[in-house]
Amino acid sequence: MLNRVRSAVAHLVSSGGASPPRPKSPDLTNATSAPPAAAPETPKSPPARPGSGSGASAKTVEARASFSRPTFLQLSPGGLRRADDHAGRAVQSPPDRGRRLPWSTGYAEVINAGKSRHNEDQACCEVVYVEGRRSVTGAPREPNRDQGLCFYYWGLFDGHAGGGAAEMASRLLHRHIREQLKDLVEILQDPSPPPLCLPCTSGTPDSSDSSHLIGSQSCLSSQKEVTHESLVVGAIENAFQLMDEQMAQERERRGHQVEGGCCALVVVYLLGKVYVANAGDSRAIIVRNGEIIPMSREFTPETERQRLQLLGFLKPELLGGEFTHLEFPRRVQPKELGQKMLYRDQNMTGWAYKKIELEDLRFPLVCGEGKKARVMATIGVTRGLGDHNLKVCSSTLPIKPFLSCFPEVRVYDLTQYEHCPDDVLVLGTDGLWDVTSDCEVAATVDRVLSAYEPNDPSRYTALAQALVLGARGTPRDRGWRLPNNKLGSGDDISVFVIPLGGPGSYS
């Protein structure tokens, strides 16, 4: 019964629903086995967080896991060992020599202070060519590279309970996006509105046969307007879903589970627009002429409380008789049965009083606040990829039905503004934002970039390094401290700095 429930509600947890599961893209099958850049030795994977599921396959996962870092860092075996050193926490960036990242993008990262055995963040930066799959007229498409599209891609993946999901997503998510865009190549290059239907393929009803249509005239008379921009957003959303499904299928196909889960923050630049897709607690902001423009929001048990409570209310079997979907200011005590206590449910933003009943003594679905907020007392993020084997601590109750793989996608039109070389898009995992405010990031942008010539391509790497160093702090008093003596970030920290202006930056 529980499996049927999980299948039925797998997409209810998203913000807008989704289509049923689809098979993986054909050219991704072999890609899953591509080996990552790894250190010569193969250490054990980090221990699973309490409540991360059954340990039946833990030894198998450990045997397969290896420490890897983004290939664009070009780390030598010695460099990999330094990157894995919790004591020194040396900042890693791509080398100045040789080929730079697209758009002269800056990147920097640092390992955690001992939170997990390895750095569980991963990153990807690619230029991806998309060749159209079919012509919208139905005529065969002649191979012609000039008819395709290129998109620029940046991705940050913050792993938890192991680095397997983050590593897999860093290798494959952009390929899923490419597959989803193949049907759109010709459509996106045509200024006319997108067609309602693509040409029929073998095995589907012919367009001349209207017997398969129901109420076609009424539908046509009230057809919604669909923009090219919304097609790209839909392609990115579907790619996230397919990536999550592929992680779920990995155990069946290769006999082992993908380790842990990950938050995913992705940027796609296509045809003059920047698409920022976020599922998790990483964040992105644009700093433009000193102005701060948020390009994402965090998805946590607090920010998605009402969505989680609604699902628990509609599908109480997912709570397993162990949790209540209601929220109280604190855990209800048995001695308070019959008294009236403050509460709120899935419909409420404020608080009201209710009489405490026996069911209210169960543990709340959403508990804690701030960084300590948890779903089912286990996980502190509510969107991301993976986590298919995540269970409540000391229980077989799955948490995945409450976690959504669908991102929120925000769009920024680069063609609407004149950008200068100091205008940047900053992406960071939560290791940056936990100790650094948006205003502090903007101040660092101004301070660092003003010290470099506008045409110096190394300025963005220097900025990424400054942001990472500022969040990490310096070793002092048996910990990492910021200049104000507050604790620095002990988490993995990864930062991309993408310039939005300057010569050749997006031409």
Side-chain angles (χ1 to χ4, degrees):
M1 175 63 186
L2 184 57
N3 288 335
R4 293 199 300 271
V5 171
R6 291 179 66 188
S7 176
V9 302
H11 306 302
L12 177 62
V13 294
S14 70
S15 56
S19 58
R22 292 143 296 174
K24 298 195 298 285
S25 303
D27 69 336
L28 296 177
T29 305
N30 295 330
T32 59
S33 58
E41 56 190 32
T42 307
K44 292 182 180 179
S45 64
R49 184 177 47 202
S52 60
S54 106
S57 59
K59 292 183 179 179
T60 304
V61 173
E62 285 186 351
R64 294 176 182 269
S66 61
F67 172 60
S68 66
R69 299 313 311 140
T71 55
F72 60 72
L73 287 175
Q74 303 176 42
L75 295 177
S76 64
L80 276 169
R81 286 191 292 271
R82 286 189 295 274
D84 202 27
D85 179 14
H86 296 279
R89 299 188 75 190
V91 175
Q92 308 297 322
S93 288
D96 288 333
R97 64 186 183 279
R99 194 172 178 183
R100 294 190 176 275
L101 295 180
W103 292 20
S104 296
T105 294
Y107 176 80
E109 68 171 39
V110 73
I111 193 171
N112 61 79
K115 177 181 177 183
S116 59
R117 180 164 184 178
H118 300 301
N119 188 337
E120 295 180 346
D121 285 0
Q122 287 291 343
C124 181
C125 183
E126 298 282 349
V127 182
V128 184
Y129 177 74
V130 187
E131 184 177 355
R133 200 189 322 268
R134 61 163 66 89
S135 168
V136 296
T137 63
R141 179 186 291 278
E142 295 295 329
N144 184 348
R145 193 168 181 86
D146 293 336
Q147 293 179 350
L149 291 173
C150 271
F151 68 85
Y152 291 82
Y153 173 90
W154 299 262
L156 288 181
F157 305 92
D158 184 355
H160 49 257
E167 191 277 327
M168 185 176 181
S170 70
R171 287 188 288 112
L172 299 179
L173 182 54
H174 60 285
R175 302 188 187 192
H176 281 293
I177 294 175
R178 179 186 64 194
E179 285 298 311
Q180 292 301 300
L181 289 173
K182 282 186 175 180
D183 284 331
L184 307 179
V185 168
E186 188 173 333
I187 295 172
L188 294 175
Q189 296 178 98
D190 185 347
S192 60
L196 181 63
C197 301
L198 292 176
C200 294
T201 57
S202 59
T204 59
D206 186 78
S207 58
S208 60
D209 178 15
S210 61
S211 61
H212 64 286
L213 298 177
I214 300 177
S216 59
Q217 294 301 318
S218 60
C219 290
L220 290 175
S221 63
S222 59
Q223 180 176 331
K224 293 183 177 180
E225 179 182 353
V226 177
T227 64
H228 291 79
E229 179 182 294
S230 66
L231 291 179
V232 178
V233 171
I236 295 172
E237 291 170 334
N238 279 344
F240 270 67
Q241 182 189 13
L242 285 167
M243 184 73 256
D244 192 61
E245 290 173 0
Q246 186 175 1
M247 289 179 178
Q249 295 163 3
E250 192 73 355
R251 183 173 185 175
E252 299 176 7
R253 192 176 72 82
R254 298 177 63 190
H256 75 283
Q257 68 189 48
V258 175
E259 186 186 30
C262 69
C263 301
L265 175 62
V266 162
V267 172
V268 171
Y269 170 78
L270 178 64
L271 297 175
K273 293 183 178 181
V274 172
Y275 298 81
V276 180
N278 184 48
D281 60 0
S282 299
R283 289 204 297 114
I285 65 170
I286 285 176
V287 180
R288 187 186 69 198
N289 193 28
E291 177 188 6
I292 297 170
I293 305 172
M295 291 302 297
S296 67
R297 65 185 178 102
E298 296 179 338
F299 291 99
T300 67
E302 284 189 309
T303 63
E304 293 213 280
R305 172 187 62 84
Q306 288 179 281
R307 177 182 71 81
L308 298 170
Q309 288 181 314
L310 176 61
L311 183 56
F313 171 74
L314 295 175
K315 300 290 182 180
E317 53 267 54
L318 294 178
L319 301 174
E322 301 177 27
F323 294 86
T324 173
H325 74 283
L326 299 178
E327 182 185 16
F328 299 91
R330 61 162 172 78
R331 184 78 183 273
V332 179
Q333 304 298 317
K335 64 182 180 181
E336 293 164 334
L337 280 170
Q339 298 182 20
K340 286 192 173 182
M341 180 179 281
L342 288 168
Y343 87 105
R344 58 182 177 180
D345 64 16
Q346 67 278 2
N347 300 311
M348 302 169 65
T349 56
W351 297 83
Y353 287 94
K354 76 176 292 291
K355 185 178 180 180
I356 297 299
E357 302 172 357
L358 192 61
E359 292 79 7
D360 298 328
L361 297 179
R362 297 170 180 169
F363 204 88
L365 172 63
V366 176
C367 64
E369 57 184 349
K371 294 297 292 185
K372 295 183 178 180
R374 293 291 183 269
V375 178
M376 293 179 148
T378 303
I379 187 170
V381 291
T382 53
R383 299 203 187 195
L385 303 170
D387 289 313
H388 293 279
N389 294 283
L390 186 63
K391 304 289 194 301
V392 174
C393 186
S394 302
S395 170
T396 60
L397 195 62
I399 299 177
K400 181 62 176 180
F402 290 96
L403 308 179
S404 173
C405 65
F406 283 87
E408 177 190 64
V409 184
R410 298 188 183 185
V411 186
Y412 180 81
D413 192 343
L414 279 179
T415 65
Q416 296 299 308
Y417 305 93
E418 285 290 335
H419 295 93
C420 74
D422 290 355
D423 296 336
V424 294
L425 171 60
V426 178
L427 316 181
T429 55
D430 65 331
L432 171 70
W433 305 107
D434 285 349
V435 297
T436 314
S437 68
D438 292 358
C439 291
E440 289 170 330
V441 167
T444 303
V445 169
D446 180 64
R447 174 176 57 82
V448 173
L449 295 186
S450 62
Y452 287 81
E453 292 295 327
N455 60 353
D456 185 345
S458 67
R459 65 205 306 259
Y460 305 110
T461 297
L463 174 54
Q465 292 172 340
L467 290 170
V468 170
L469 284 169
R472 184 203 67 178
T474 56
R476 189 170 70 250
D477 299 333
R478 292 175 296 178
W480 294 85
R481 297 282 176 174
L482 303 179
N484 59 10
N485 206 38
K486 291 184 178 180
L487 283 174
S489 175
D491 200 356
D492 301 314
I493 311 170
S494 300
V495 172
F496 271 126
V497 175
I498 306 170
L500 300 179
S505 62
Y506 58 84
S507 60

